[in-house]
Amino acid sequence: MDRQEEFQKLIGYEFQDPKILRQALTHSSYANEKHIKKQSDNERLEFLGDAVLELVTSEFLYLNYPELNEGDLTKLRASLVCEPTLANCTPQIKLGTFIRLGRGEDLTGGRRRKSILSDALEAVIGAIYLDGGFTNAKEFILKFILTDIEHKKLFYDSKTILQEWVQAKSGTDMKYRLLEENGPDHAKNFTVEVVIDGEVMGEGNGHTKKSAEQEAAYHALLKIQDAT
């Protein structure tokens, strides 16, 4: 079984045109390194997949959350289609192991980089839409992305929710501490921990300090939930 066949088994969809899937899994660094013809990477498919994802998510929220107004629906949709949330959906289909990366990008941790993972996931959605139509793309999104909504909402709002929790506990001190910063300027990676009353409550990684803090806050909230 070749790599693409393995990936298709994981996602439960068989492509009529394997070339579309190959393109969806091709990062620009690989295309540049191999001197493949222009627009053979996954960026155009990502553009298409982003639009399909937004439509499917909008319909899903409209039908399943009749009590929410437009503003709340927009906020919830943003929490489900943001880069960190999408990246966190990819381990289930082992997407990082199937992306074709340039050697330099691979060596600097590209397979774990949230921006690369989320872009590739959107490209896969675009590829399924082109190859098998809207229904198949929608099925993929419902199966692998629009699940565990409350946890994803918690993740998106984690910094705000944690701040509110700390403020409700008078005398409680909280701070974010930068542990590590590495990578080139265009692909920085930050590791941050959140400390509450001297105790490390969570750690997070991200290509910005804000996204790393968001992940750290999320892990802190999960720890707090477990303790209550």
Side-chain angles (χ1 to χ4, degrees):
M1 184 187 299
D2 68 20
R3 299 287 288 156
Q4 287 198 186
E5 287 176 356
E6 187 181 344
F7 183 69
Q8 288 174 96
K9 285 199 69 141
L10 281 171
I11 66 173
Y13 177 77
E14 186 175 344
F15 279 80
Q16 305 299 310
D17 183 358
K19 293 195 297 294
I20 296 177
L21 175 58
R22 190 176 305 118
Q23 183 178 351
L25 297 174
T26 301
H27 187 255
S28 57
S29 62
Y30 183 92
N32 292 336
E33 188 176 282
K34 301 294 182 181
H35 305 293
I36 303 174
K37 65 182 181 180
K38 198 172 181 181
Q39 295 180 346
S40 59
D41 60 37
N42 64 9
E43 290 178 358
R44 282 168 53 84
L45 284 172
E46 174 206 336
F47 163 80
L48 179 60
D50 175 66
V52 176
L53 174 61
E54 186 154 315
L55 175 57
V56 172
T57 305
S58 299
E59 180 195 49
F60 175 85
L61 295 178
Y62 180 86
L63 294 175
N64 289 280
Y65 292 84
E67 75 283 2
L68 296 185
N69 62 30
E70 180 195 2
D72 290 334
L73 286 169
T74 300
K75 185 179 179 185
L76 182 51
R77 182 179 63 194
S79 74
L80 298 175
V81 302
C82 69
E83 179 186 293
T85 306
L86 291 179
N88 286 341
C89 294
T90 61
Q92 187 180 357
I93 56 174
K94 302 178 183 177
L95 183 57
T97 66
F98 293 97
I99 300 172
R100 301 200 299 171
L101 288 176
R103 180 171 169 77
E105 197 70 64
D106 199 357
L107 290 173
T108 55
R111 295 188 187 282
R112 299 185 304 279
R113 192 161 295 131
K114 291 180 175 65
S115 57
I116 290 176
L117 290 169
S118 62
D119 289 350
L121 185 61
E122 289 180 333
V124 169
I125 293 168
I128 294 172
Y129 173 77
L130 279 184
D131 188 76
F134 181 75
T135 300
N136 283 304
K138 180 178 177 179
E139 188 177 320
F140 174 86
I141 292 166
L142 291 173
K143 184 176 181 181
F144 295 111
I145 298 174
L146 297 180
T147 58
D148 201 12
I149 304 298
E150 290 311 308
H151 264 97
K152 286 171 180 171
K153 185 179 177 184
L154 177 68
F155 179 84
Y156 185 74
D157 292 330
S158 56
K159 284 190 72 176
T160 302
I161 294 169
L162 185 61
Q163 186 67 44
E164 289 171 351
W165 182 86
V166 167
Q167 287 171 349
K169 303 263 186 185
S170 58
T172 301
D173 174 65
M174 180 185 76
K175 61 185 175 184
Y176 292 97
R177 194 156 56 197
L178 179 65
L179 296 179
E180 194 176 4
E181 175 183 342
N182 53 45
D185 287 341
H186 73 280
K188 284 282 188 189
N189 187 68
F190 298 88
T191 302
V192 169
E193 64 182 10
V194 59
V195 182
I196 300 175
D197 283 345
E199 181 184 356
V200 176
M201 295 293 288
E203 186 176 303
N205 294 283
H207 69 283
T208 65
K209 285 182 185 176
K210 184 178 178 182
S211 63
E213 288 171 357
Q214 180 184 16
E215 189 172 286
Y218 174 69
H219 288 299
L221 287 169
L222 293 180
K223 192 170 183 179
I224 291 165
Q225 282 183 348
D226 288 343
T228 55

